[in-house]
Amino acid sequence: MPALSVRSYNNDRQKLTDEDQQISRLEVHRDLIGWVIQELERANISSQRTTGNDPEGDILIINPEDAPKVKEIIADIKRKFNG
């Protein structure tokens, strides 16, 4: 039996199975959350990834007083990447 491989989300999306598309979306989401946590760490903001499909979000901010700074960082990210 030949080895199976998952195609990149950006490679010919028409040929991806539904499962491949879901896997790709989850990989992008996972990597984005990790990157945001790194950005928060650079700003000296303690955070951690949540688990169990937490309805309150994917990132837990340890110190509630950091919330305004986190919102500012997220807004900056959105401006940078969404124009």
Side-chain angles (χ1 to χ4, degrees):
M1 176 179 219
L4 298 175
S5 66
V6 176
R7 299 176 204 218
S8 169
Y9 185 73
N10 294 324
N11 288 345
D12 197 4
R13 191 169 173 210
Q14 300 294 339
K15 294 182 182 180
L16 293 178
T17 66
D18 290 345
E19 293 85 357
D20 292 338
Q21 289 179 19
Q22 286 288 4
I23 290 166
S24 183
R25 285 186 199 110
L26 287 170
E27 287 172 338
V28 168
H29 180 79
R30 176 200 62 207
D31 295 346
L32 177 64
I33 296 303
W35 181 77
V36 170
I37 288 172
Q38 287 178 347
E39 292 297 305
L40 295 174
E41 188 176 297
R42 284 188 192 116
N44 295 316
I45 297 173
S46 296
S47 64
Q48 65 186 38
R49 198 180 281 270
T50 60
T51 59
N53 287 326
D54 191 322
E56 294 190 32
D58 297 311
I59 300 172
L60 173 65
I61 306 305
I62 304 302
N63 185 353
E65 289 83 34
D66 288 331
K69 181 66 176 168
V70 171
K71 289 180 182 181
E72 182 181 318
I73 290 169
I74 298 298
D76 288 344
I77 291 170
K78 286 181 180 180
R79 275 192 296 278
K80 182 177 181 181
F81 293 101
N82 294 331

